[in-house]
């Protein structure tokens, strides 16, 4: 075979060499781009591994002590707990509300122009910068100017101002509510599009058999929504790990550490405590953890990889 | 049948009304606050409608506080990131959709791009911070352009792959038999057909980049490279918050994505879900 590949390209017919002309062109296009990206993506990771094994000045090797410190820090577990609480507040709420809305619209709104309008409106929150959404939330929850207290007092529901962002019991729900506001429409959009794929005959057959709306959902529609629900859970879980912006401007992780999610915690270790060794160790741990989790779930992701 | 549908409709109307208020009011409150004068802010009671609407807060934010520089940085950084992401995206998706490559390469690239979607940026930003500083790119817009193009590459690859694979190969092959080379066929046949998809991808990448805050916060420190979200954050976390200025900055940050969204609305959800959800 070696002598065949060595022959000049123009004469070799497709399939005669190791690669066809098309393949050769494809790989000459792909190789430099992917090679560069690979370097840009992996080089910092290797540096992070190196950094995690050195002291914070980057002078001496300290072995695994950064990892020991990172894992022994009780703040890490508080941050993981806060992230868990956030996910536990946000995900079921968004999925149930989004699902309920999708079903409600699918069953009550028949006009296709109204459906199209709702589609457009629901995409709006998804493209708003989280930092700007944080500003809005600030205008609603903040003491002094926050309009929520004003409305609640005006309606006679509460008598004194509530410091929504300043006390542990309300700070986390307030921060989570912003996420629910911005991302429930995503769940709605995905599930509504899923409902559109349910064959009408199946629904009609069930209705002829006298199935209730609930049975119709549980036995027919849910089967079509299941892969999408899975997709939503994966994407939203990945997003919970990225949440930073709106929490940063609303509470900055406080009061105390109640809303200090993992991302804010890592930020604090590196850029407030300047413990770059520990921060690098944490980054490596998070990257490895996410990679493992990802490789476990990736096969279940219902995306079309063709 | 009839009664069932009607109770649902009766339930639906108040539900929609509540949702409409929950979404419209916060946006309204942002806009209204941004139009209030300072004097009105310090009144003892809140006003739900501005008494004397003024654009003063916008002037204050953009001119007096100088945030127009950050706005300009944002536009430049986002524009360049879009360009780089699209070129890289095409260099990757053209071969895997229009040329005969082994399916393993194709699936491998798509899977790899998808996996990048799940990386938490905070874990990436720590190592990048070190690299950017050693390269002397700290507080330089180039660093942001580089990172934003990479961050958006997964979306770009998946969106372009979707658009390109919908264009039948026969159209290009017809150009080949007419004697066109690959580059000519790409430029004169494929590119015009893929244009709406490229445009949608560009709009979405621009919007996402426009919103990005974490990397900009960490990798910049002066108006030389700071982007607009960093400026907005500065107004929120300062010691005494000036509500109308903060709201004006927030409104500016919201406005551009809103406008762009109208142009690419059909593709936003497809982009966010890696093509799982397509508008019917």
């Amino acid at each position: 075979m070696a002598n065949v590949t060595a022959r000049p390209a123009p004469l070799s017919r497709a399939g005669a060499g190791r690669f066809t002309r098309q393949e050769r062109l494809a790989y000459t296009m792909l190789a430099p781009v992917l090679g560069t990206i690979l370097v840009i993506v992996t080089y910092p990771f290797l540096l992070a591994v190196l950094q995690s094994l050195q002291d914070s000045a980057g002078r001496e090797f300290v072995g695994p002590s950064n990892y020991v410190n990172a894992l022994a820090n009780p703040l890490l577990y508080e941050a993981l707990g806060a992230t868990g609480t956030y996910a536990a507040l946000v995900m079921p709420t968004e999925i149930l509300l989004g699902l309920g809305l999708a079903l409600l619209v699918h069953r009550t709104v028949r006009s296709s122009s109204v459906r199209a309008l709702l589609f457009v409106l629901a995409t709006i929150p998804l493209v708003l910068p989280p930092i700007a959404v944080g500003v809005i939330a600030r205008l609603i929850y903040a003491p002094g100017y926050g309009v929520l207290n004003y409305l609640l007092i005006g309606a006679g529901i509460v008598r004194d101002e509530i410091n929504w962002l300043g006390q542990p019991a309300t700070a986390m729900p307030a921060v989570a509510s912003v996420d629910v506001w911005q991302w429930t429409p995503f769940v709605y959009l995905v599930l509504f599009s899923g409902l559109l794929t349910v064959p009408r005959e199946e629904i009609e057959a069930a209705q002829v058999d006298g199935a209730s709306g609930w049975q119709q959902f549980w036995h027919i529609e849910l089967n079509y929504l299941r892969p999408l629900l899975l997709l939503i859970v994966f994407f939203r879980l990945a997003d919970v790990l990225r949440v930073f912006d709106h929490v940063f401007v609303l509470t900055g992780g406080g009061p105390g550490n109640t809303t200090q999610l993992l991302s804010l915690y890592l930020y604090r270790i590196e850029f407030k405590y300047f413990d770059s060794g520990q921060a690098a160790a944490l980054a490596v741990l998070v990257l490895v953890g996410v990679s493992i989790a990802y490789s476990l779930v990736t096969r279940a992701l219902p995306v079309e990889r063709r | 049948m009839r009664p069932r549908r009607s109770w649902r409709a009766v339930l639906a109307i108040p539900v929609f009304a509540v949702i409409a208020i929950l979404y419209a009011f916060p946006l309204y409150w942002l806009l209204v606050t941004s139009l209030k004068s300072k004097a009105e802010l310090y009144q003892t009671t809140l006003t739900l409608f501005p008494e004397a609407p003024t654009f003063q807060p916008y002037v204050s934010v953009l001119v007096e506080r100088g945030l127009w520089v950050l706005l300009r940085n944002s536009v430049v950084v986002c524009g360049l990131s879009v360009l780089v992401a699209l070129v890289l995206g095409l260099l990757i998706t053209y071969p895997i959709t229009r040329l005969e490559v082994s399916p393993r390469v194709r699936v491998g690239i798509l899977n790899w791009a998808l996996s990048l979607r799940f990386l938490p940026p905070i874990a990436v930003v720590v190592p990048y911070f070190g690299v950017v500083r050693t390269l002397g790119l700290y507080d330089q817009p180039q660093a942001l352009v580089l990172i934003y193009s990479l961050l958006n590459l997964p979306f770009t690859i998946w969106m372009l792959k979707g658009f390109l694979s919908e264009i039948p190969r026969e159209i290009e092959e017809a150009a080949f038999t007419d004697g066109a080379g690959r580059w000519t066929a790409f430029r004169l046949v494929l590119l015009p057909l893929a244009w709406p998809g490229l445009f949608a991808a560009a709009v979405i990448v621009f919007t996402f980049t426009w919103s990005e805050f974490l990397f900009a916060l960490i990798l910049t420190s002066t108006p030389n490279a700071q982007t607009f979200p960093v400026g907005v954050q500065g107004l929120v976390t300062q010691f005494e918050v000036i509500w109308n200025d903060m709201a004006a900055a927030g409104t500016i940050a919201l406005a551009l994505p809103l406008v762009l969204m109208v142009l690419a609305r059909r593709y936003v959800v497809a982009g966010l879900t890696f093509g799982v959800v397509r508008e019917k």
Side-chain angles (χ1 to χ4, degrees):
Chain A
M1 270 316 205
N3 55 340
V4 183
T5 24
R7 214 192 285 160
L11 286 174
S12 74
R13 306 232 329 261
R18 223 160 67 77
F19 293 128
T20 64
R21 275 185 63 187
Q22 284 210 5
E23 279 179 312
R24 215 172 300 145
L25 176 62
Y27 295 131
T28 29
M29 285 176 82
L30 286 173
V33 182
L34 291 178
T36 316
I37 295 172
L38 200 68
V39 171
I40 300 178
V41 171
T42 45
Y43 178 65
F45 178 71
L46 294 177
L47 276 187
V49 173
L50 197 67
Q51 200 184 342
S52 72
L53 298 169
Q54 293 172 327
D55 66 354
S56 282
R59 301 266 181 277
E60 263 178 79
F61 266 98
V62 289
S65 76
N66 282 319
Y67 289 90
V68 174
N69 288 344
L71 289 171
N73 197 334
L75 286 176
L76 171 66
Y77 300 97
E78 272 189 57
L80 286 173
T83 311
T85 313
Y86 186 92
L89 281 173
V90 151
M91 297 210 0
T93 316
E94 286 169 6
I95 290 175
L96 288 177
L97 286 177
L99 177 64
L101 269 177
L103 286 169
L104 190 67
V105 172
H106 190 246
R107 290 180 188 189
T108 57
V109 178
R110 291 270 166 263
S111 143
S112 60
S113 53
V114 176
R115 285 181 171 195
L117 178 71
L118 290 176
F119 182 93
V120 176
L121 290 176
T123 46
I124 290 177
L126 310 183
V127 298
L128 301 181
I131 204 91
V133 179
V135 165
I136 298 180
R138 193 75 188 245
L139 291 170
I140 288 170
Y141 288 121
Y145 189 76
V147 74
L148 182 59
N149 279 326
Y150 172 79
L151 294 175
L152 288 177
I153 291 170
I157 297 173
V158 296
R159 292 175 95 209
D160 300 308
E161 285 213 335
I162 297 172
N163 190 358
W164 296 101
L165 300 171
Q167 39 186 32
T170 50
M172 183 58 100
V175 161
S177 72
V178 179
D179 199 290
V180 171
W181 189 86
Q182 189 161 24
W183 290 102
T184 301
F186 173 74
V187 178
Y188 161 77
L189 286 166
V190 172
L191 293 182
F192 186 76
S193 81
L195 286 174
L196 294 178
T197 63
V198 180
R200 183 165 285 178
E201 306 83 61
E202 280 192 43
I203 298 290
E204 279 165 4
Q207 283 175 345
V208 170
D209 292 343
S212 68
W214 174 251
Q215 287 170 322
Q216 183 184 316
F217 166 70
W218 196 251
H219 294 295
I220 303 171
E221 285 160 332
L222 189 59
N223 295 326
Y224 290 87
L225 298 183
R226 206 163 278 135
L228 295 176
L229 284 167
L230 204 63
L231 176 101
I232 291 168
V233 169
F234 288 157
F235 275 31
R236 295 301 304 139
L237 266 180
D239 287 339
V240 165
L241 285 180
R242 351 177 119 221
V243 167
F244 182 84
D245 309 7
H246 76 266
V247 185
F248 188 75
V249 296
L250 275 178
T251 63
N257 299 318
T258 27
T259 57
Q260 184 159 282
L261 307 181
L262 194 59
S263 54
L264 282 104
Y265 173 66
L266 241 162
Y267 172 82
R268 194 160 148 197
I269 294 285
E270 165 90 34
F271 300 102
K272 290 280 172 282
Y273 298 160
F274 301 106
D275 191 343
S276 59
Q278 202 186 133
L282 278 171
V284 171
L285 289 174
V286 170
L287 286 174
V288 169
V290 169
S291 306
I292 292 173
Y294 177 75
S295 60
L296 291 178
V297 299
T298 175
R299 282 174 187 285
L301 265 180
V303 288
E304 205 178 287
R305 306 151 200 253
R306 279 187 293 113
Chain B
M1 283 273 139
R2 275 263 137 224
R4 198 157 80 198
R5 189 165 294 168
S6 68
W7 75 251
R8 276 207 201 105
V10 170
L11 174 77
I13 289 164
V15 170
F16 289 145
V18 168
I19 292 168
I21 292 170
L22 284 178
Y23 278 90
F25 183 76
L27 294 171
Y28 166 82
W29 189 239
L30 177 77
L31 186 66
V32 156
T33 306
S34 78
L35 296 171
K36 286 184 180 176
S37 67
K38 225 174 192 166
E40 196 173 340
L41 285 180
Y42 291 112
Q43 288 172 1
T44 41
T45 51
L46 282 187
T47 44
L48 287 182
F49 310 96
E51 286 164 346
T54 167
F55 284 110
Q56 176 55 34
Y58 290 89
V59 178
S60 157
V61 164
L62 291 177
V63 183
E64 289 160 26
R65 293 177 188 265
L67 256 64
W68 70 271
V69 181
L70 309 196
L71 201 60
R72 193 198 56 195
N73 288 346
S74 268
V75 172
V76 171
V77 164
C78 293
L80 289 175
S81 306
V82 166
L83 209 65
V84 177
L86 283 188
V87 170
L88 290 180
L90 275 175
L91 279 171
I92 293 171
T93 45
Y94 180 84
I96 63 171
T97 54
R98 315 306 292 182
L99 298 172
E100 280 167 27
V101 290
S102 100
R104 276 178 50 202
V105 172
R106 189 182 148 78
V107 173
I109 288 174
L110 289 175
N111 274 337
W112 169 75
L114 183 66
S115 71
L116 290 182
R117 163 72 176 75
F118 289 83
L119 277 187
I122 186 70
V124 185
V125 88
V126 171
Y128 271 97
F129 179 63
V131 174
V132 162
R133 265 196 326 188
T134 15
L135 291 177
L137 287 175
Y138 181 71
D139 200 29
Q140 299 293 325
Q142 295 93 307
L144 291 180
V145 172
L146 182 73
I147 288 169
Y148 288 165
S149 335
L150 279 179
L151 287 182
N152 282 297
L153 208 52
F155 279 115
T156 316
I157 289 174
W158 276 74
M159 285 190 76
L160 292 184
K161 162 230 149 194
F163 293 126
L164 289 182
S165 51
E166 273 166 18
I167 301 170
R169 281 199 183 194
E170 291 77 42
I171 297 180
E172 255 176 314
E173 273 153 18
F176 294 148
T177 45
D178 289 345
R182 241 175 212 288
W183 171 242
T184 318
F186 170 75
R187 213 161 37 92
L188 299 179
V189 180
L190 195 62
L191 213 48
L193 287 171
W195 175 242
L198 281 174
F199 178 70
V203 167
I204 289 174
V205 172
F206 194 98
T207 313
F208 287 165
T209 311
W210 180 263
S211 300
E212 207 289 326
F213 169 66
L214 179 63
F215 280 92
L217 175 74
I218 287 166
L219 300 179
T220 66
S221 59
T222 69
N224 181 45
Q226 280 177 329
T227 56
F228 199 70
V230 180
V232 176
Q233 176 269 148
L235 291 174
V236 183
T237 49
Q238 65 185 349
F239 184 65
E240 189 200 4
V241 180
I242 312 295
W243 300 107
N244 55 356
D245 282 10
M246 181 180 103
T251 310
I252 298 169
L254 281 186
L256 193 87
L258 268 184
V259 174
L260 288 177
M261 221 280 307
V262 176
L263 300 172
R265 58 185 176 275
R266 289 171 48 211
Y267 304 101
V268 171
V269 185
L272 283 173
T273 57
F274 284 76
V276 173
V277 177
R278 305 268 183 97
E279 201 204 7
K280 304 294 171 311

